[in-house]
Amino acid sequence: ATRTRSAEVARADSGIGQTPARKWRNRAAETLSSLQAWEAHRPCTDCGERDLPVETDAQNCNQRRPDLCEKCCKRRTERKESVLEFVNTEASYGEDLRIIKEEFYLPMQAAGLLSQEQLLGVFSNIQELIDLNENFLEILQEEIDRAFDQSDDDLMTVCIGEIFLEFVNMLPAFQTYCLQQSSSVNMLNALEKEKELLRIFLNVSQNDNTALRRMNLRSFLMAPLQRVTKYPLLLSRIIKATTEYHPDHGSLREAKSRIESHLEHINMKTKQEGNTWTLRSFRQDSKKKREVINIEMRETALKTVGWLREETRFVMEGPLQLAQPPDGQWVKKGSKTLKFQNMQVLLLVNMKRVSESSLESAEPGPVKDAVLVLIRDKNNGKFHLLREPLRLSNCVVSTDPDCDDTFELIEIRREAFVFRDSDRARTHHWFRQIRRYSRELGSWKKRRNALPNIMISTPHTRP
């Protein structure tokens, strides 16, 4: 009977007395309070820092998102406004380009006010800028719409820097327009004095055409110059409002550096051509100076090979040391016996277009051709080619374990070159890239054993 009563008591109070149960309830209440305090004072998802004290947070909980601190919430708002400003101003710029074409160019062409040559002189490559703007704006708008569809109201998934770098080919188009701006304005002034009908058309358009907003043709022709000089400012605003942990932060900085380098290059070319006007100048540092030099070398290389810019990809570029061995036995003596000279080398690849629009496809087409352009160091303000470009389809590239700080390139039936970089790892990277395109394009494999070169026939040659 005693045992039964004990069991009944145990089932009634679960074996826990009043004092332990009170302690358990107190601990549960403390845990719940701690969780509520952490929830109210959780780390910010953007910066990882903790916000203001808990009691202050209670006052602001209705004014901001609970997972963001006040600083990051404000930063997100500023970033969204900066991104939308970038897209909206790009759309406004595109509207000005459309006005130039539809309200000036086409009516003047249809009425025969100017010849085709005169139209080209006044309006330059305006059609190219229109096409680029339409493609660029279309991608930007798609990214904005996709972000809103995914409930990304802050537009944090929109990467302006990455998109800008994908359309970096529009910068040379701006350069072409800017460098011709002075001659375009001079031609327009001369034609307006010479042709009375043209003068009447321009005056009537400005006063009666509401689409022009009382602006004359010269004001609209300045739109591309104003747009290209505004890109660095717009990108700077987005960078300032973008945390360094954001995936687009590095691309934004690179995009800003690229556009500033192109503007410096345009300024330099303008001065060389004797024009009195220049674009907005930027502070030059060593990185920007190097990029300006790279732009000049790319232009020289493109002019030499004669490829379309949109079909060309610059795989590698930079300084290399070059030597021309007198015979194929130099490996036994070592590379120290060779006389090297400094050279700027560019590896260009010509890609097949997969569609009519050069900007439609993200994936590049198959490789049609690949060349090495050898440029002497700058002399008297100009670059000079060492020789005609080396077509990798006609070259054999090899290296040797005894001279692993160099690699050899042999142009079939012509001459041999030995290259090296000051950094051995970069030398190997150059070798792998050149060998890749040489093997893809060349039919030299069939002739490999017939080539009288010790580096190729040696059994120790790397595959």
Side-chain angles (χ1 to χ4, degrees):
T2 304
R3 290 176 182 173
T4 303
R5 285 194 297 271
S6 299
E8 291 175 353
V9 171
R11 284 193 297 271
D13 60 7
S14 301
I16 303 177
Q18 295 183 354
T19 302
R22 192 180 302 112
K23 290 182 179 180
W24 181 265
R25 288 194 296 270
N26 291 340
R27 180 170 298 180
E30 292 175 0
T31 303
L32 179 61
S33 177
S34 298
L35 288 173
Q36 291 174 344
W38 183 89
E39 182 69 21
H41 197 50
R42 71 171 69 182
C44 172
T45 57
D46 277 9
C47 64
E49 297 180 0
R50 296 189 179 274
D51 200 2
L52 302 173
V54 178
E55 59 271 12
T56 308
D57 276 355
Q59 302 171 4
N60 299 332
C61 62
N62 296 325
Q63 301 179 8
R64 65 172 181 84
R65 290 172 49 172
D67 55 344
L68 292 174
C69 68
E70 186 176 1
K71 180 180 178 181
C72 289
C73 187
K74 182 179 179 181
R75 177 186 290 171
R76 282 199 177 192
T77 302
E78 293 174 352
R79 186 182 188 278
K80 178 180 178 180
E81 292 174 352
S82 301
V83 169
L84 291 177
E85 180 187 13
F86 188 99
V87 178
N88 292 336
T89 53
E90 187 70 24
S92 300
Y93 160 65
E95 180 63 21
D96 288 342
L97 294 180
R98 187 194 63 80
I99 290 176
I100 293 175
K101 178 180 179 180
E102 297 184 2
E103 306 299 335
F104 290 106
Y105 182 91
L106 293 180
M108 291 164 65
Q109 184 185 46
L113 296 178
L114 296 180
S115 65
Q116 195 61 37
E117 183 180 355
Q118 291 169 338
L119 287 170
L120 180 61
V122 173
F123 294 96
S124 187
N125 62 329
I126 195 70
Q127 184 59 52
E128 183 183 10
L129 294 177
I130 291 174
D131 295 339
L132 288 167
N133 168 261
E134 290 177 351
N135 283 278
F136 188 35
L137 187 59
E138 181 182 359
I139 298 300
L140 290 172
Q141 196 59 56
E142 286 179 358
E143 289 298 311
I144 297 292
D145 295 341
R146 185 180 294 110
F148 283 132
D149 291 342
Q150 297 175 351
S151 300
D152 177 19
D153 296 333
D154 294 329
L155 303 181
M156 295 298 291
T157 58
V158 177
C159 296
I160 296 292
E162 292 183 4
I163 300 174
F164 193 95
L165 291 177
E166 289 180 5
F167 284 81
V168 76
N169 275 343
M170 67 182 176
L171 298 182
F174 277 109
Q175 175 180 312
T176 299
Y177 186 90
C178 293
L179 293 179
Q180 295 181 8
Q181 178 63 18
S182 180
S183 60
S184 297
V185 172
N186 292 338
M187 177 177 287
L188 179 61
N189 293 335
L191 291 171
E192 194 173 3
K193 292 178 182 179
E194 176 186 342
K195 297 177 178 291
E196 183 179 0
L197 288 178
L198 174 63
R199 185 168 61 253
I200 294 173
F201 168 77
L202 294 177
N203 289 335
V204 171
S205 298
Q206 180 179 356
N207 295 325
D208 298 342
N209 191 340
T210 56
L212 304 186
R213 310 187 300 275
R214 295 280 180 176
M215 294 169 56
N216 57 28
L217 175 57
R218 292 174 185 81
S219 300
F220 282 101
L221 290 177
M222 291 295 294
L225 280 72
Q226 295 168 348
R227 184 58 184 172
V228 73
T229 53
K230 196 173 182 181
Y231 280 134
L233 177 61
L234 294 171
L235 291 172
S236 295
R237 290 177 182 173
I238 301 176
I239 293 172
K240 184 178 179 181
T242 302
T243 176
E244 61 180 356
Y245 305 110
H246 193 279
D248 196 39
H249 190 269
S251 298
L252 285 168
R253 289 192 172 276
E254 183 181 354
K256 180 174 179 288
S257 177
R258 294 286 291 273
I259 182 62
E260 289 183 346
S261 299
H262 270 273
L263 292 177
E264 291 289 354
H265 179 63
I266 294 173
N267 276 336
M268 181 191 66
K269 298 286 286 186
T270 302
K271 293 178 181 178
Q272 289 178 354
E273 295 179 5
N275 293 330
T276 56
W277 67 275
T278 58
L279 294 172
R280 175 186 175 186
S281 60
F282 295 88
R283 179 180 59 84
Q284 289 192 6
D285 55 22
S286 57
K287 182 179 180 180
K288 290 189 177 66
K289 288 179 180 178
R290 289 196 302 271
E291 182 61 25
V292 168
I293 292 175
N294 290 341
I295 294 171
E296 291 184 70
M297 289 194 301
R298 293 172 202 148
E299 288 190 346
T300 302
L302 274 177
K303 189 180 297 183
T304 302
V305 298
W307 297 345
L308 295 176
R309 190 183 304 274
E310 58 268 20
E311 295 182 356
T312 304
R313 185 162 64 92
F314 292 88
V315 180
M316 288 191 71
E317 56 189 35
L320 280 179
Q321 294 180 340
L322 177 146
Q324 291 184 269
D327 53 46
Q329 303 297 320
W330 66 271
V331 177
K332 296 180 178 180
K333 303 174 185 178
S335 59
K336 293 182 180 179
T337 61
L338 298 176
K339 184 178 181 181
F340 286 90
Q341 57 178 321
N342 294 324
M343 194 70 53
Q344 296 289 340
V345 181
L346 294 91
L347 173 56
L348 285 71
V349 173
N350 191 10
M351 315 294 292
K352 290 182 180 178
R353 296 171 64 181
V354 297
S355 63
E356 290 299 322
S357 173
S358 61
L359 299 175
E360 282 184 4
S361 61
E363 293 296 328
V367 177
K368 290 195 298 185
D369 201 356
V371 298
L372 276 185
V373 178
L374 310 179
I375 301 178
R376 295 184 185 275
D377 282 343
K378 200 169 184 180
N379 186 20
N380 297 327
K382 295 183 179 181
F383 289 105
H384 298 281
L385 295 174
L386 173 68
R387 63 188 306 283
E388 66 273 13
L390 291 165
R391 297 199 174 276
L392 297 187
S393 58
N394 299 329
C395 295
V396 180
V397 188
S398 56
T399 187
D400 190 277
D402 295 332
C403 296
D404 63 348
D405 60 338
T406 62
F407 64 91
E408 186 177 40
L409 184 147
I410 300 177
E411 191 177 13
I412 298 174
R413 296 177 180 169
R414 297 195 65 177
E415 50 191 336
F417 299 91
V418 177
F419 294 94
R420 71 179 181 187
D421 193 281
S422 55
D423 179 62
R424 181 170 299 188
R426 186 163 174 83
T427 300
H428 293 164
H429 185 51
W430 271 101
F431 165 69
R432 288 191 296 269
Q433 290 290 339
I434 296 174
R435 181 183 60 175
R436 169 192 169 187
Y437 293 107
S438 173
R439 287 183 170 180
E440 286 183 8
L441 298 169
S443 58
W444 53 268
K445 291 182 180 179
K446 301 176 183 178
R447 309 172 55 104
R448 183 182 181 99
N449 295 330
L451 290 174
N453 183 272
I454 189 171
M455 290 186 68
I456 298 173
S457 60
T458 177
H460 302 290
T461 302
R462 296 179 184 176

